[in-house]
Amino acid sequence: MEFRNGELGIIPGAMGATSYLVRGLGNPESFHSSSHGAGRNFSRTRAKSNFPMEEVLQDLNEHNIAIGKKNLQDVAEESRFAYKNIDEVMNNQTDLVETIKTLSTLGVVKG
């Protein structure tokens, strides 16, 4: 994402992970850009085979995160386990964006 100096933005986390409201620092060495999310550790297919639907739903339930989805067969595709740790990603780009607010997931709606 492109964040010019002072520009506000949001960097979303994966389903069940934190998200960040940020202010761009306008670093020309990165072309005024930053990550736009955590990035995948697992492809959608691998995520579905590595993280059973029941475990993903249990994780969301344990964190009191509501899910709005009728067909749960592909819920593992967007599981937080399928992505890199967004908190680590954000810690690695403190020269690109300033965190204004960290947001916790309350609910997930997946089409």
Side-chain angles (χ1 to χ4, degrees):
M1 296 192 131
E2 187 172 330
F3 291 119
R4 301 236 174 244
N5 191 25
E7 188 172 22
L8 300 176
I10 184 166
I11 299 177
M15 185 174 71
T18 52
S19 294
Y20 290 85
L21 296 178
V22 298
R23 179 177 289 116
L25 298 178
N27 189 328
E29 292 179 18
S30 71
F31 303 101
H32 309 281
S33 68
S34 73
S35 70
H36 62 274
R40 287 190 164 275
N41 267 334
F42 296 92
S43 68
R44 293 179 187 282
T45 302
R46 269 189 69 205
K48 284 170 49 174
S49 65
N50 286 9
F51 310 114
M53 172 187 63
E54 295 81 13
E55 288 181 18
V56 173
L57 294 174
Q58 181 180 351
D59 176 64
L60 292 172
N61 187 47
E62 287 172 359
H63 290 90
N64 296 316
I65 299 170
I67 184 161
K69 180 167 173 47
K70 289 183 181 179
N71 179 1
L72 299 174
Q73 298 304 312
D74 64 349
V75 74
E77 291 180 10
E78 298 300 326
S79 164
R80 67 186 176 97
F81 306 116
Y83 286 83
K84 297 173 189 164
N85 183 312
I86 187 68
D87 301 319
E88 290 178 18
V89 170
M90 295 304 294
N91 284 335
N92 289 328
Q93 60 180 5
T94 57
D95 58 333
L96 306 177
V97 293
E98 169 193 7
T99 298
I100 297 171
K101 184 81 173 167
T102 302
L103 306 170
S104 299
T105 304
L106 299 176
V108 175
V109 177
K110 185 175 185 310

